[in-house]
Amino acid sequence: MENKVVLVDTSILIDFFRKTKKENSKLVSLVRQGYSFYISTITEYEIY
């Protein structure tokens, strides 16, 4: 089986953090599809 990996950008994380209904976020949608996630150090800094 092929590994599904996504490099998550700041906009995806902001979408998740801002939504009150987390199940409607793009991040949750991708998790349900079986994707694994990584974030860059730049994204980590931007969120921090």
Side-chain angles (χ1 to χ4, degrees):
M1 184 174 174
E2 186 178 321
N3 289 337
K4 298 180 185 179
V5 179
V6 174
L7 180 64
V8 175
D9 191 17
T10 308
S11 59
I12 297 293
L13 293 175
I14 289 172
D15 174 63
F16 176 76
F17 292 136
R18 285 190 176 166
K19 290 200 186 258
T20 54
K21 293 185 177 186
K22 304 293 187 198
E23 64 274 4
N24 293 337
S25 71
K26 184 66 176 173
L27 185 62
V28 171
S29 171
L30 290 170
V31 168
R32 288 182 179 150
Q33 294 175 41
Y35 284 89
S36 297
F37 296 94
Y38 292 103
I39 64 169
S40 69
T41 41
I42 294 170
T43 300
E44 183 179 0
Y45 177 77
E46 289 173 341
I47 293 298
Y48 179 70

